[in-house]
Amino acid sequence: PVAARPLVDGLLSCLRTWGAFDEESAVYDASKARTLVRALSRQGWTLTNDGDLMPQGGIDVATGGRSALDEQLARLRQNTNDPGALLGTAKDLLEATAKFILEELAFPQHDKMSFDELWHHARDRLGILPQQVAQGVPGSACIKAILQSSWTIAQQVNVLRGLQGSGHGRTLPTGVSPEQALLVVREACSVTEYALASLDRQIGRRTSV
């Protein structure tokens, strides 16, 4: 799974070089190009006319092949026009991320742990709580404020999901626009990616940026 994106990018590079996306090329086949577009779309990806791969809705997080998190990302990419589903899945992604981090760090969990508890323990074990920033370092106050803001984002995504997102038997239309929901999702993905990168650094797992 970790090599899936580089593999697909490499294959698309070969196809571009071959002329598979060049309408003036002798090897160009519009039917096959459309088939590839549809196949990638079902997986949450957009293929441009030039053969470049882009995440649907601009949602792109490097999860390192963690299947539980990749599943949530796929749901996000496939619901970019459904604000309620986006908000619900953004919260699910954040909760799954916190649980994954605690599992990786062998921290005991129980079913009654709240969203706030999960994220507090995850951030504490990662050393990314605002109060864990070294004192006296130039810019430390700024870093503290940014870390606090990242937690505020996660917390408010959870609250917003309860008010406007999918789940909890909600049947009324959401009051959040698709553009606002995508903003929420991208902020949630930013928090997720930072937490996962911090985890990888802590356990010595090689990452790419």
Side-chain angles (χ1 to χ4, degrees), residues 11-209:
L11 291 171
L12 289 174
S13 177
C14 291
L15 288 171
R16 287 194 298 270
T17 302
W18 187 49
F21 304 107
D22 182 357
E23 295 185 10
E24 297 182 357
S25 170
V27 301
Y28 177 76
D29 186 318
S31 176
K32 289 181 179 178
R34 287 194 297 269
T35 298
L36 182 57
V37 168
R38 289 195 298 270
L40 290 169
S41 177
R42 286 194 293 270
Q43 299 301 318
W45 295 91
T46 297
L47 188 66
T48 68
N49 292 336
D50 294 326
D52 293 313
L53 197 63
M54 300 178 63
Q56 289 178 1
I59 301 166
D60 195 8
V61 176
T63 67
R66 289 124 168 161
S67 58
L69 304 185
D70 285 334
E71 180 180 346
Q72 300 294 347
L73 286 173
R75 290 176 59 198
L76 285 172
R77 292 173 182 141
Q78 291 165 4
N79 289 284
T80 53
N81 292 316
D82 185 339
L86 285 173
L87 296 178
T89 308
K91 180 266 183 181
D92 292 343
L93 173 64
L94 286 167
E95 185 169 358
T97 298
K99 288 181 177 179
F100 177 82
I101 289 168
L102 294 178
E103 288 172 2
E104 286 281 282
L105 299 177
F107 182 85
Q109 303 176 49
H110 57 77
D111 293 339
K112 295 184 179 180
M113 267 190 180
S114 68
F115 181 91
D116 288 13
E117 287 178 298
L118 287 168
W119 266 101
H120 174 79
H121 290 306
R123 292 185 302 140
D124 182 36
R125 294 308 182 273
L126 292 175
I128 58 174
L129 288 170
Q131 58 266 36
Q132 293 171 318
V133 175
Q135 300 291 333
V137 178
S140 60
C142 300
I143 295 299
K144 283 185 177 182
I146 291 170
L147 289 176
Q148 182 58 46
S149 295
S150 72
W151 162 238
T152 300
I153 288 170
Q155 189 179 45
Q156 292 307 308
V157 170
N158 182 43
V159 174
L160 185 59
R161 185 262 185 162
L163 296 173
Q164 293 284 356
S166 60
H168 304 299
R170 180 171 301 281
T171 57
L172 297 176
T174 180
V176 178
S177 71
E179 294 77 19
Q180 291 170 333
L182 277 173
L183 173 63
V184 171
V185 165
R186 289 171 184 145
E187 293 296 328
C189 287
S190 176
V191 172
T192 293
E193 191 157 39
Y194 173 64
L196 292 176
S198 299
L199 172 66
D200 287 338
R201 173 178 48 78
Q202 184 171 127
I203 65 179
R205 180 185 289 127
R206 184 178 179 182
T207 60
S208 60
V209 178

